[in-house]
């Protein structure tokens, strides 16, 4: 895979399934327009057919009666708006006209109404303010923001307290009136708290949402479930959650299922999300899954209750598996929860209609295909979205294991170039740290290996998917056992005949950028050069500058400033002697730009060969969802750096 092959990457979104109708949105980077484009497609036994033809159509949802499909459509630079069309096909009709756009639709049980959340701007902000002559007030000319809390912005979203996410319920117009003009409906929730993840009560009288504890009265990492009357009224706290909550679903018998972590105060670091249950009366929730072995992945979207189980996605040794947790489970361990799909792969999203389940799953050679799992457990792959990418020559990932100095087992993968080698080696460290390299195709590893580098991908202690104790092993100990694990994995790989132990580089982003700086300072003799991006380099300033610094630093490092400095790569900048590249985004609020600037200046002062590559207008997620042209330019810059410092011959 070459950098320019990025346009061949097709990523399907969460499927919608009702009867024989199976829809998903497929997005592709488009370097020509420097945007992401895609529409809805229908997937079936006979293949994939186009179903809509918008620029960016996403989030399909089919009514329970199967007659209508709601989805989001964005055109040009406009925000996404809610549209609806008949499930038999036809012309979509726009329902909303919201200045900041609408969120994913959720149908009521009787198919007559749709709920969604949307950000609503404070008057006069985000293009809603005008001068007496009618001229729109631009962002840079708006009045100053008065900030009184630490949780006032989020990377990738921006400032949030002056545009809370509010709940809306919209009646579906009668079929003959779908051509009416789009509306800007009235929100059902106030501006005090942002809400998310709406789902309907079985009788259709209320919508359950997730909102911060005490309706966001003060900074908190805790969230609870609230039920909002569908006709308007005061929200009622439904379930007090043990930590965070996500993606509630209310079954027909009134049982409320949801994902939740469990922690006190701000100590949320490396906590496995589990499946929990309560009821509409708000009884004390119970955890259905084991806290240590079952690591649910809320990023895969809403869980799905069925007659005998609840479908959830679970992270497990690099896989993301679809499993069915029995409804009467109590602390079920991983080995007791049936596996339905995703073995040796990574489930990205799923939906169900009765006993049939549609799954979007990424394997070692694709970025996501649609599977249909029938009632008898038989699964069929119905799509081939990654065929154009495979034509470029996808390289296999091989599992590798090692043993750390203290006897701990380490797990990861190697993606090797074609040919006997020996090839220069790149140790690539993931972010998080409570994340994992998974078994789906990883575009970065493919680009580096295709260029001639043997790529090492490890899940050291601190990673997700290996049990909560594995994840929490680095709490208060960053740069210790996690560094040991990575070096142990590297030690095994460089003994391969196709690996050149004398040509080794290290790179990573976010926590991976932290580890790149840490390894370069403490184990620099192992590497020829380093590439660090969007990194945490100094915990003392990260605490106040990052959108999550006010709680994340304390959870992982502690509040003692001296200890923060001991755990900061910046402190050891004078020990870094290998060529060291720093890449960062100008609008990164997760690991702010000052993190890159401070290390760059320190390295220049010591005479270390260094350079700083800045991407305008990008945030922390550049490598995953940044502008396509920037993603390609970054790939080209990475390869140029390694050709310079790890020549292929």
């Amino acid at each position: 895979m070459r950098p320019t092959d990025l346009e061949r990457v097709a990523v399907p979104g969460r499927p919608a399934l009702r009867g024989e109708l199976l829809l998903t949105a497929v997005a592709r980077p488009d370097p020509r327009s420097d945007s992401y484009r895609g529409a809805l497609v229908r997937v079936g036994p006979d293949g994939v057919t186009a179903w809509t033809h918008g620029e960016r159509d996403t989030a399909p949802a089919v009514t329970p009666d199967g007659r209508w499909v709601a989805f989001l459509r964005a055109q040009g630079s406009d925000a996404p708006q809610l549209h609806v069309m008949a499930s038999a096909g036809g012309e979509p009709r726009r329902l909303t006209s919201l200045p900041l756009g609408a969120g994913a639709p959720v149908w009521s049980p009787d198919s007559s109404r749709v709920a969604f959340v949307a950000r609503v701007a404070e008057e006069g902000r985000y293009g809603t303010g005008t001068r007496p002559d009618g001229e729109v007030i631009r962002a840079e000319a708006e009045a100053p923001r008065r900030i009184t809390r630490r949780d006032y912005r989020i990377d990738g979203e921006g400032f949030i307290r002056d545009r809370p996410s509010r709940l809306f319920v919209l009646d579906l117009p009668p079929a003959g009136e779908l051509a009416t003009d789009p509306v800007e409906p009235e929100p059902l929730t106030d501006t005090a708290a942002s809400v998310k993840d709406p789902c309907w009560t079985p009788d259709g009288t209320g919508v359950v949402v997730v909102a911060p504890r005490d309706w966001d009265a003060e900074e908190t990492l805790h969230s609870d479930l609230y039920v909002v009357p569908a006709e308007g009224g005061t929200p009622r706290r439904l379930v007090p959650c043990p930590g965070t909550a996500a993606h509630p679903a209310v079954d027909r018998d009134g049982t409320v299922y949801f994902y939740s972590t469990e922690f006190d105060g701000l100590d949320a670091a490396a906590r496995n999300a589990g499946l929990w249950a309560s009821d509409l009366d708000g009884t004390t929730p119970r955890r259905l899954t084991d806290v240590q072995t079952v690591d649910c992945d809320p990023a895969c979207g809403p869980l799905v209750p069925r007659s005998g189980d609840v479908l959830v996605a679970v992270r497990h040794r690099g896989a993301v598996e679809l499993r069915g947790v029995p409804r009467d489970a109590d602390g079920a361990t991983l080995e007791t929860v049936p596996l339905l799909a995703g073995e040796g792969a990574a489930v990205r999203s799923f939906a169900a209609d009765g006993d049939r389940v549609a799954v979007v799953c990424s394997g070692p050679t694709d970025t996501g295909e649609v599977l249909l799992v029938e009632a008898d457990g038989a699964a069929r792959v119905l799509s081939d979205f990654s065929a154009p990418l495979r034509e470029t020559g996808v390289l296999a990932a091989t599992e590798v294991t090692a043993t750390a100095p203290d006897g701990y087992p380490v797990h990861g993968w190697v993606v090797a170039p074609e040919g006997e080698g020996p090839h220069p080696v790149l140790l690539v460290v993931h972010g998080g740290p409570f994340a994992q390299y998974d078994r789906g195709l990883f575009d970065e590893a493919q680009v580096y290996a295709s260029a001639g580098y043997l790529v090492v991908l490890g899940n050291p202690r601190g990673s997700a998917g290996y049990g909560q104790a594995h994840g929490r092993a680095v709490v208060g100990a960053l740069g210790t056992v996690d560094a040991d694990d990575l070096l142990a994995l590297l030690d095994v790989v460089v003994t391969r005949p196709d690996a050149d132990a004398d040509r080794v580089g290290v790179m990573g982003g976010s926590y991976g950028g932290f580890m790149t700086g840490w390894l370069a300072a403490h184990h620099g003799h192992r590497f020829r050069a380093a590439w660090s991006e969007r990194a945490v380099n100094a915990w003392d300033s990260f605490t106040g500058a990052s959108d999550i610094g006010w709680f994340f630093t304390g959870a992982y490092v502690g509040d003692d400033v001296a200890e923060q400095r001991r755990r900061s790569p910046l402190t050891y900048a004078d020990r870094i002697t290998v060529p060291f590249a720093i890449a960062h985004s100008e609008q990164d609020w997760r690991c702010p730009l000052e993190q890159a600037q401070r290390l760059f200046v320190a390295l220049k002062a010591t005479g270390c060969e260094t350079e700083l590559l800045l991407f305008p207008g990008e945030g922390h997620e550049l490598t995953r969802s940044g502008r396509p042209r920037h993603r390609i330019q970054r790939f080209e810059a990475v390869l140029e750096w390694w050709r310079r410092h790890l020549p292929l011959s």
Side-chain angles (χ1 to χ4, degrees), residues 118-122 160-166 190-194:
R119 290 202 174 276
V120 180
E122 179 182 290
I160 55 174
R161 307 217 68 84
D162 55 7
R163 47 173 185 161
S165 182
R166 304 171 72 178
D190 59 27
T191 62
S194 282

Side-chain angles (χ1 to χ4, degrees), residues 537-538 569-574 576 580-582 593-614:
N537 294 314
L570 179 66
T571 301
Y572 310 99
D574 60 341
I576 298 176
F580 198 97
I582 302 171
L593 179 57
E594 57 89 19
Q595 293 285 308
Q597 293 168 318
R598 292 184 71 185
L599 184 60
F600 175 69
V601 170
L603 292 178
K604 293 295 283 187
T606 66
C608 177
E609 180 184 345
T610 186
E611 55 189 59
L612 175 60
L613 186 67
L614 288 182

